[in-house]
Amino acid sequence: MVQLTLPKNSRVGKGKTWPKPQGATNLRQFRIYRFSPEENGNPRWDLYWVDLDKAGTMILDVLLYIKNNIDPTLAFRRSCREGVCGSCSMNIAGNNTIACTKGFDELPGGVISIAPLPHLPVVKDLIPDLTNFYAQHAYVQPFLKTVTPNPEKERKQSEEDRNELNGLYECILCACCSTSCPSYWWNGDKYLGPAALLQAYRWLIDSRDEATGERLDDLEDPFKLYRCHTIMNCAQVCPKGLNPAKAIAKIKKMMVERVS
Amino acid sequence: MSGTNRANSRPLSPHLQIWRYHATMFASITHRITGMGLYFGTFLIGAWLIALASGPETYALLEPAFTSIPGQVVLFVWTIAALFHFATGIRFLLWDGPHIGFEPKTASAVSVFLYVFAVLGAVAIWATILWL
């Protein structure tokens, strides 16, 4: 359901302003969303001054600088620090992206806000609960389904057929796209969202897959597929430059083509 | 169950409160708003047609409403809405048929163009009408 405002327990209050690091000349202020289940009360915005000369180049470096030098209680997910694992996805300066590939010199001036991915239950600080997101990924059965007997070696694919998977297989499941989508915000329980649908298309278009019909049947529903209104936020924010909106349009066309 | 209680007390992360809009998101919302506006605007067209068909006396009752300044403003805004919705409709055809215009930069540029087209188009139509 559309709810433009946040529920009472989710309104973000004013937090703490942390002291400036000593002897720093190149300072920038960051406003970071804080919530701890162990403390009573609403989430809050904490303000941190970061010494950019010592904080590396990326937003993930800034977060690590804060955790190491200012406030060790700040919680966030991270792993590969090079844009292949999709763990450090968050909302940075108003748009979803992965912190490890976003340089702080790419962002607009002034205070930079960092919040968890939008419209999700928050576990702690910048860590949202992605259970529903993963369940939706599982729903589209992202694996090869066949009925013909297995060939002796592998199932072969022409170069052209393999090229169909470019721009689809690169998805790292960071959830930036799904949680950028207003349609997913309002109907995330019923609409599968851009990430799961991109994966659905990745298997629909795979020349080796033999379950195309059943896959389309599973998406034929007023909500699962058709809540996409081409708002395009998914393609605008994807840190891997993929285009879920286009993949969804192609699924819609497959739906039409199999009827006609 | 304590686990369930904790899950229920989890706050919802901010969404519209923090989101920085792209041109495409603005255009999408405008498409919906203009769609609503055109729906209600159709009542005005209906009223105008009925008045027209009912003869000069009935039409004379309605005419001041359309020729007054507020009436003219409503009609001008309605023209913008009609042009905008028409143009986004064509964009949807290009998206859903040949899948043209999905690159984010193209889509953003087209979104800006939609506004320019709708406003300049409405000005051109009204300038032509008033000049004739």
Side-chain angles (χ1 to χ4, degrees):
Chain A
M1 273 300 292
V2 180
Q3 204 201 342
L4 302 179
T5 54
L6 288 167
K8 256 198 180 127
N9 73 327
S10 309
R11 305 214 171 117
V12 194
K14 252 190 141 169
K16 193 173 159 180
T17 305
W18 294 74
K20 288 184 187 182
Q22 299 270 308
T25 49
N26 190 9
L27 283 171
R28 181 125 191 218
Q29 206 168 25
F30 290 81
R31 190 175 75 134
I32 301 183
Y33 182 96
R34 302 301 310 273
F35 168 76
S36 170
E38 283 144 25
E39 292 162 30
N40 289 323
N42 275 29
R44 55 177 210 269
W45 290 113
D46 272 11
L47 287 162
Y48 298 91
W49 292 98
V50 171
D51 183 357
L52 293 186
D53 292 334
K54 289 187 183 149
T57 50
M58 301 297 177
I59 292 295
L60 183 61
D61 299 324
V62 167
L63 293 172
L64 288 167
Y65 174 90
I66 293 171
K67 196 170 173 68
N68 294 336
N69 299 296
I70 305 172
D71 178 10
T73 66
L74 178 65
F76 52 91
R77 292 191 180 108
R78 85 279 176 276
S79 179
C80 76
R81 62 97 186 92
E82 57 182 15
V84 295
C85 80
S87 300
C88 64
S89 50
M90 53 189 72
N91 186 285
I92 296 164
N95 284 149
N96 297 348
T97 191
I98 45 179
C100 62
T101 59
K102 195 74 179 175
F104 47 67
D105 56 348
E106 294 173 58
L107 295 168
V111 182
I112 294 176
S113 292
I114 303 179
L117 290 173
H119 209 284
L120 290 175
V122 178
V123 179
K124 188 175 194 283
D125 297 344
L126 301 174
I127 302 177
D129 181 358
L130 288 166
T131 312
N132 185 41
F133 175 78
Y134 295 135
Q136 287 163 328
H137 186 229
Y139 178 83
V140 304
Q141 307 205 314
F143 42 81
L144 190 70
K145 288 166 77 171
T146 55
V147 284
T148 53
N150 283 337
E152 261 182 44
K153 285 180 102 180
E154 73 270 47
R155 285 180 193 270
K156 288 192 176 151
Q157 192 168 41
S158 71
E159 207 176 317
E160 296 84 65
D161 285 341
R162 170 60 188 79
N163 286 341
E164 289 291 326
L165 308 182
N166 289 343
L168 304 169
Y169 80 93
E170 299 96 325
C171 173
I172 55 174
L173 287 177
C174 63
C176 281
C177 59
S178 289
T179 60
S180 76
C181 174
S183 213
Y184 190 80
W185 294 346
W186 317 137
N187 292 301
D189 51 342
K190 301 198 268 311
Y191 170 49
L192 289 176
L197 290 170
L198 181 107
Q199 287 303 312
Y201 182 67
R202 183 249 172 274
W203 292 100
L204 282 166
I205 201 64
D206 194 315
S207 62
R208 299 162 298 178
D209 194 84
E210 291 164 4
T212 312
E214 296 98 272
R215 288 182 189 280
L216 288 174
D217 288 344
D218 290 343
L219 299 175
E220 184 76 77
D221 172 287
F223 279 92
K224 287 184 186 99
L225 169 67
Y226 294 109
R227 283 304 106 178
C228 170
H229 302 301
T230 334
I231 302 166
M232 289 286 295
N233 279 4
C234 53
Q236 298 274 13
V237 300
C238 177
K240 306 296 281 184
L242 312 181
N243 203 321
K246 195 173 185 176
I248 296 169
K250 286 179 173 174
I251 302 178
K252 288 178 182 166
K253 202 174 186 183
M254 286 178 95
M255 290 284 194
V256 176
E257 280 167 353
R258 75 164 177 169
V259 180
S260 57
Chain B
M1 260 165 47
S2 61
T4 319
N5 288 337
R6 196 176 304 144
N8 288 342
S9 67
R10 277 175 187 165
L12 190 69
S13 52
H15 39 93
L16 282 175
Q17 297 74 24
I18 52 164
W19 194 261
R20 191 158 49 93
Y21 283 46
H22 293 279
T24 43
M25 186 168 164
F26 260 117
S28 174
I29 294 165
T30 314
H31 175 75
R32 288 209 160 192
I33 294 169
T34 52
M36 296 284 288
L38 293 177
Y39 180 88
F40 292 109
T42 309
F43 288 113
L44 296 180
I45 303 282
W48 183 75
L49 284 173
I50 291 165
L52 206 58
S54 308
E57 292 84 27
T58 325
Y59 187 76
L61 291 174
L62 200 68
E63 203 195 358
F66 280 113
T67 48
S68 68
I69 295 290
Q72 298 268 293
V73 170
V74 168
L75 287 178
F76 180 70
V77 174
W78 192 86
T79 315
I80 296 177
L83 287 174
F84 189 92
H85 208 78
F86 168 74
T88 45
I90 291 178
R91 185 168 71 150
F92 270 113
L93 280 179
L94 292 174
W95 271 341
D96 293 336
H99 306 309
I100 293 172
F102 270 112
E103 299 319 308
K105 276 194 181 138
T106 316
S108 294
V110 169
S111 299
V112 174
F113 171 76
L114 292 172
Y115 289 97
V116 176
F117 167 78
V119 172
L120 290 186
V123 169
I125 288 171
W126 279 75
T128 314
I129 292 170
L130 295 177
W131 182 61
L132 284 175

